Every structure is written in structure tokens, then in C-alpha cells.
Amino acid sequence: MMNKHLPGAASTPRSGAHGAKPLAMVEAGKRVRLKAIQSGRELQARLAAMGLTPGIEIEVIRNQSGGPCIVAVRGSRIMLGRGMAHGIIVG
Amino acid sequence: MTRKRIVVALAGNPNSGKSTIFNDLTGAHQHVGNYPGVTVEKKEGACRHDGREITVVDLPGTYSLSAYSIEELVARNVIIDEKPDVVVDIVDASNLERNLYLAVQIMELGVPLVLAFNMSDVARARGIEFDLEKLSRFLGAPIVPTVGHKGKGTKELLDAVVAAATRKTAQDMPNIDYGREVEEEILKIAAALQTEASSADARHVRWLAVKLLEGDKNVREKVSRTVQEITEKSESHLAKIFGDPAEIIITDRRYGFISGACQEAVRSTVEARHTMSDRIDAVATSRVLGLPIFLGLMYLVFHLTFTLGDPPMGWIEKFFGWLGGVLETWWPKGSESILKSLLVDGIIGGVGGVIVFLPNILLLFLAIAILEDSGYMARAAFIMDRLMHKIGLHGKSFIPMLLGFGCSVPAIMATRTLENQRDRLTTMLVTPLISCGARLPIYALIIPAFFPGRLHAPMLWTIYIIGIVLAIVSAKVLRTTIFRGESTPFVMELPPYRIPTLKGILLHMWERGWLYLKKAGTVILGISILLWGMTNFPKKQTFDRDYETQTRQAEAACLDDVRGLNSKFGLATGSDILVRAIQAELDMAAEQKKHHETEPGFAEAAKRKDAAIEALGRQDGGDRLMKFLEVRQAIRDARAAFDGAVLEKKLVEGTPGYFAARSGCDAALANLQKAEPEVYAAAIRYLDNIRSSFEGAAEDVAKARQAEELAYTISGRIGHALEPILKPLGFDWKIGTALIGAFAAKEVFVAQMGIVYSVGEADEKSEALREKLKADYSPLIAFCIMLFCLTSAPCMATIAITRRESNSWGWALFQLGALTVLAYVLTLCVFQLGSILGIG
């Protein structure tokens, strides 16, 4: 159950500055790996509790300019405000 | 084995089906309150199992047990401080990994734990297979599969709870291995803690050490400076090694532990948890259809609330009317008893006026419960986020504001769905600016009185728009001043769509409705009594004008006019039998005013009148008198029959039914006229001129007396005292007095204006009141009245509910003060500017 996304993940860059960008810039339907969350400790902890820990694979379900975006992570759908989507760095 | 009561705490992620399990366990035996000092709802229930009394405490739904949110802190403190015998963690089995994160943290606390794998049917249907025994060994806790909405597994869960609570040996719970580097630091901190509090058990010390490393403010405050310093050193050491803060490492290791356990004990063939939901969302949250679907659903909610709520509201109103009537018979009619007035006008009037909204509120909460339990609410927040973001709030705040168009009270209660305190308070404080239903009667009275027909709708629309704009601007201002701070990050789980259970939504609806009744009811009762006192005391003993003489004068004038009728239908000019007959009728009416219809005095008065008239009938010209009375009665009957038919069948002018009733009445009158033209003319003259002008005069006297009494009472005096302050707004003392009444409930403004203007029972359709208002005020003042009523302090129910929901009188009084100031300043500007520009 845990590694079922791995084959897909292998095709995306896993580390390095190359390809790192804010979640807000990722098109819907893409699978990316979470690299860092640029925010205070509190928010980092909240997101981590909801499953958004560095290294985890996330799938962008919906990402429209101006509105919040929806991602799939660890089997649940999480809605992230626009501002936050800019602070989440993925690669 | 002790037979003491078992206390169970129910933990779980939001959307894990926790409340369904809670309802399954406790049924209707629930208790809803707030945790002391915070606005987190506290639910408790009880049940019996195996002859054991079990108390179930429903903890707030959380993802974690950090100190970052009130809910998490509350959940944690209940587990640590209240030491429940067992903690049951409700785990959404179809989303195991994320849900086990909380379970792992409870496990670390070292309390007896039972895991309920809820929605296990869904999980199985999606091809997820568990090796429960293996998983249970990994997590050190028994696992019970449940299906909450079907009530499956409840018995087994209770068995496990009783077993866990009565187990003699401590549950063998594994520790999470945080890796060599982190473990070293945990040991260092634990050692320092141990020397300070030697009695604490090892597991708790370890937990404290982990929490300190996680940067937990709540734990950090409680430990010594030395321990804090050691923790800081450890943190920077770990940050150097890993390049990430310690809590990220710790979280990661916990998830690692869970992954390990799942890989061993869970087989998943397909990932299908969201397929159906995703398909619905493709439509429900789409750019094009999302908003129309949302607006359509909201319209439906309104429609449901305010149309279905109407008939039961009528019943409740009737009930209180009946109750007031029954109570009134306990006193002699016309009695000035203060107790009677307090009971009937103060308590029944005030509390009844609030309970009348209960059907609306229950329906509204029913609709909200359905939207929430089905998972749609999260989608609504998604859709509205884009707009709400612009005013510094996010999507979820939109729902309470929308409900504000109906009534501010349920709207403010609906802010409970907002987790963030700043968002919640902002929304709570600005919601009363959205024009609620109770303000409509004020507009409905004023707009037709002052503005030409073509301006009616635009005027009403303008008022509503002003309210919306003010709410938006105020929210923005609040978010950039007292509730400043980085715009709260918007994170929310989109739960899969689910069909809500009937039991669940009914319980949801009922517990909120009950809170409304109980809490708002008690506060409102108090304020009702206060306002009643203010509009009734002090009582005026001696009046400026002699109203009794005035009444007698009106009576004498009436009898004089009656004497003038003598010659019209064949009575001798000097005859006094008609005058005496009318006198007897007036005497009877005066006497009957003192009695209830059921009392003997009432019937006796009628008998006396009949006897008097019979005696007069035997005198000279008696037959003419009797004829007159007979024709008069026939006219009254014909007219009453017509009015009765219109009222009963709700006939509208211009319809065939109305026409038929009208012509029936006309034909009856024409027959009477044909038979006795002279008597008929005299009777018509009596009814339409003499009698009606007498009644008008008597009513005027009564109303003038009422107005004088009111001016003497506290609220009348406050109105007068306020006049200098209200003058710059264009308001006089009468408006001031009505505004005080409006604080009880906005719609009271209209009734209070009616009393002040001595037009008796006024409602928004009262033409008489409109005429008087028109004579006294300009359209500019009229607009200012509406503006002030729209903006100013909401009714006392709103203040009471803000107090309740914010858990602070401070915010409630701030709301009261700020809105009053806003209303004053705004109205002042509009009136002064309008006056200078010569508008109105």
C-alpha cells in the first residue's frame, strides 16, 4: 500500500535544485515529491500531522489560478490555500 | 474486580466517523457543553455494557496531539489530566496511514488504548486487507473493526473497552525508535527531567522529552530553565545533523513506524478511496459549475428554512398567545397587576418571541448538518475561498455570513465550523451587519411611507447592499487591525462524500437547537424582564391631561349626535329613549371591560342592558326604537358575514369569490334599505359616522394616555435623554425610545414606534403610522433610521449568542459598542451631508 506510487515517482526528479518549484506552479494531474515547507513551525507541524512530510509524494488534483489547490497525499485529499501553495516547495 | 464506572475518551481524526460511533455508543444520552475557558464543544454520553456503567467523552477531532491548536491541546489535556480508563481511537480504515498518526501519539502517551477500525466495510470493498492480529501487536492495542453508520462492531468495541479497563497488567505498548541521534537527545532530556521529578514514570518522562524536542510550547512552559536549555542544545544539535527542525524528523519517524507496520500487516490491491468522490468533485468544484451548484444549494437551504419553518412558527406563536390568554384570566380583567404584566408582556412576550425562531433554527441546522455530514461543506469552502480571500477571510467564513440574511443567531452559531479563532471572531463580529429577517419589517414600514413606488425595490436593495458592503469592509478592517497577523493559512481535508445517517443529522440538529433554547433562552429571559421593566416603570400616577373627562366628553358628544337622529326615523324630537338605549349599551361595554367573558359579571352586564332596552321598548315610540336596533343589527350581521368570509377564505379583491361575497352583502343591505328606508339611513348614519367617530375619539384618548405613560417610563426618559445625542442624526426622542425597544428584537422598533405615536397595535402595514411618520420626518431622516437600524447593535439575542460563542463578555460588548459607534458615525455623516446638500 505504501509504495504503490513509487513507479510513477521514479520518473520525477527526486532531489537537487533542478525542478524545484512551488506547489502553486504545478499543473493538475502531476505527481511531485514534497521537498520543503517554507513557513513557521506551527504550520509545518500542522501540515506534517495531515501527512505532508518532506519526501512524501503528492498528486495535484486541482490547481486553478486564484483559488486554493487540492492535493492527494497519503490517501486523503487536502485543500491548501493559495498562499500556502506558494510556500510548499516540490520537485 | 472493582465495579466502578469506566470513563472512555473517544479520539480520532476529523471525518473519521467519530461522531457516528459516539452516537452509536451513547444514543440520546448525551450532554453537550463547552470545555471551560475555550469554545471547544465538549460532548459526553453514557451507556451500560456487561453491567458496567460507561461514560464516553468525545474529544475534539484532531490530526495530532500537538499544542498548536486549542482542539489538540484540549484532547491531550483530557487524556493526561482526566486520566480516562481507556482511550478509543476511531481510525478511518480506508485511510489508515494518516489516521494512525494520531493513534501512535496516543500510544506514546502510554494510556490504555483500543483502536476502532471504522468504515472497515469500505476499506474491504476497496481491496484493503488487514492482518488485524499483526497490526494489533505492532501498535500494542486491540483493534476492533466497526461500521459506524450501520452500528456494526459497537458491542465488540465495548467488550474491548471493558477488557482494557479491567486488565490487571499494564498494556505492553511499543516505543517508537526515533533513530540513534534523536534517541540520544531524548535520553539527555529525560535524564534531566528525571532528576527533577523522580516520581514520574518512565513512559511519561520519555513523552515529555519527545514533546520538548518537538518544540511544544505547553510542555516547555512547565519545565525548569535547566531542562529548557538542554532542550535548546539538543534541538540545534539535531538541526545541524539533519538540516530540518527536530519536529519534522520526529513526525517523519512516526510516519516511518506506521509505514513499517502497514507494509507488514496491510495488503492493498487498488487505491480507490476517492474515485467516486473525485468524480462528484469534478463537477461540484469545477470552475464553471461549482459556483452555480453552491448557490443553488444555498438557495434551497434558505427556502427550506424560511418556508417550511413558517407553519410551526405560527403554531408556536398561537401557543404563546393562548398561554398569555389563559394566564390573563387569573386576574380580573383590566387589572393593573404588575405580576400579570410581567408574566404576559415580559416573560411570555420576550421568551416566546425567541422560541418562535426555533423551527427556523432547527431547520437551518438540519440543512447544515446534512451539508456537513455529507462532506459538501468542505467543497463550499473551496468554492468561496477565492472571493473570501480578498477580505482576509477564507472560504469557510462565507457560510455563517450567508446564514446571517435569515437570522444572526444561527449564523453566529455556525461560525463553529471555523477552527481559527481570529477568523471565527472576525466572522462573528461582522455577521450582524448582514441584514437579518427581523429588520425587514422596519424597511417595510418606512420605505412605502417616504419613497415613491418606483423607488421601493431599489431602496430595499440598496439597504441590503449597504449591509453586505459594510460587512466586507469591516471584516477587512478587523483583519488588518485587531485580528492582524499573517493571513491564516487555509488547510482543510476534503473528506470523501458520504451519505449522512438520519440519526447523526437529527442528533446534530437537536443538540444545537437545544443549546439555543437553553443558553440564549436564559439570557434572553433576563433581558426581556429588564426591557419590560424599562418600558413599564415608573408608573405615572397623575397625568398631565384629564383623560377621564376627555372620555366622558367624547361620550357626551356621541349621545348628542344620537339625539339628532330622533327626527330621522319617526321618533319625537324630544324623546330620550334612543339616547338611553345607546347609554345602556355604552354602560354595558364599560362594565364588560372589567370582566372576562367567562365571568358572571360579563353576562350580567348584557342582561342589564337587555332589560333596560326592553323597558324602553315599552315606552312611547318604543316600536321605532326596536326597529332601529333590529335594522342596525341586521346591517352589522351582513357586514360581519362579508368580513368573516374574506378572512376565512382569504378572498382577494378582484377574484370571483370576493365578488360573490361582496354582492351577497350588498343585496342584503339593499333589502334592508327597501323595507325601511328611513330607519336604514339612520342606522347607517349611526354606524358609519356617530359610532365610528366616537370610537376614534376614545381610542385617541387611550393612545395619548399610553404615550404619556411611556414618556414617563425609564425607556421614555432614556429616549428624551438621548435626544441631544440623536439630534445630529435627525432623530427625536420617539425614535430614541423605539431604538431601545429594537435592541430587544429589531422588529420591536415598529411596535414601539406605534406606541410612541399612539396608534395602538402597529405593524408594518399600518397606514396610520405611516401618515404620522410622514408628517414628522423627511425622507432623509427615514433613510437614516433604516441605516441606523441596519448598522447598529444587533438585538440582545445576537449579543447573548456572541457572548456564548466567543466565551467572553468582552467580545460581545465590543460588538455592541463598535456596531453602535459605526452606526452613529455613519448615520451622522449621511444626515449632515444630506442636510448640507439639501437632499430630502
Side-chain angles (χ1 to χ4, degrees), chain B residues 625-641:
Chain B
L625 173 66
M626 295 320 261
K627 196 82 219 164
F628 172 82
L629 294 178
E630 182 192 308
V631 170
R632 189 189 64 174
Q633 191 56 44
I635 297 170
R636 275 182 175 157
D637 288 347
R639 286 178 175 176

Side-chain angles (χ1 to χ4, degrees), chain B residues 330-514:
Chain B
W330 294 359
W331 282 271
K333 199 158 171 212
S335 129
E336 299 272 311
S337 162
I338 290 170
L339 184 62
K340 177 194 119 179
S341 169
L342 171 66
L343 280 176
V344 176
D345 304 329
I347 296 177
I348 293 184
V351 175
V354 171
I355 292 177
V356 149
F357 289 115
L358 191 65
N360 272 345
I361 286 181
L362 287 180
L363 283 165
L364 197 59
F365 282 139
L366 178 75
I368 293 179
I370 294 172
L371 290 179
E372 266 181 347
D373 291 4
S374 65
Y376 185 77
M377 222 46 142
R379 275 76 186 179
F382 173 82
I383 292 160
M384 287 315 293
D385 185 69
R386 193 190 299 254
L387 287 172
M388 296 302 283
H389 197 73
K390 298 203 168 78
I391 59 168
L393 293 171
H394 50 62
K396 276 182 161 183
S397 292
F398 184 75
I399 293 144
M401 287 170 85
L402 192 78
L403 297 175
F405 283 114
C407 175
S408 301
V409 172
I412 287 171
M413 287 174 80
T415 60
R416 286 198 169 179
T417 51
L418 307 173
E419 308 97 352
N420 182 286
Q421 194 67 0
R422 277 195 302 231
D423 289 349
R424 191 162 176 225
L425 281 169
T426 307
T427 312
M428 220 183 266
L429 294 179
V430 306
T431 295
L433 286 167
I434 303 287
S435 190
C436 70
R439 276 170 256 194
L440 193 59
I442 304 177
Y443 313 145
L445 170 74
I446 288 176
I447 292 176
F450 291 93
F451 302 97
R454 67 189 157 80
L455 283 182
H456 287 181
M459 210 63 213
L460 190 63
W461 184 81
T462 308
I463 290 285
Y464 272 87
I465 294 294
I466 290 173
I468 297 167
V469 170
L470 283 175
I472 289 172
V473 171
S474 308
K476 184 85 188 162
V477 168
L478 285 174
R479 288 302 270 116
T480 47
T481 54
I482 41 175
F483 298 122
R484 191 177 31 210
E486 105 190 54
S487 162
T488 36
F490 180 38
V491 193
M492 212 177 140
E493 191 184 351
L494 278 182
Y497 285 104
R498 250 170 233 149
I499 294 173
T501 64
L502 186 65
K503 193 175 168 187
I505 54 172
L506 288 181
L507 274 168
H508 242 112
M509 174 186 87
W510 175 243
E511 74 202 17
R512 286 174 177 166
W514 178 239

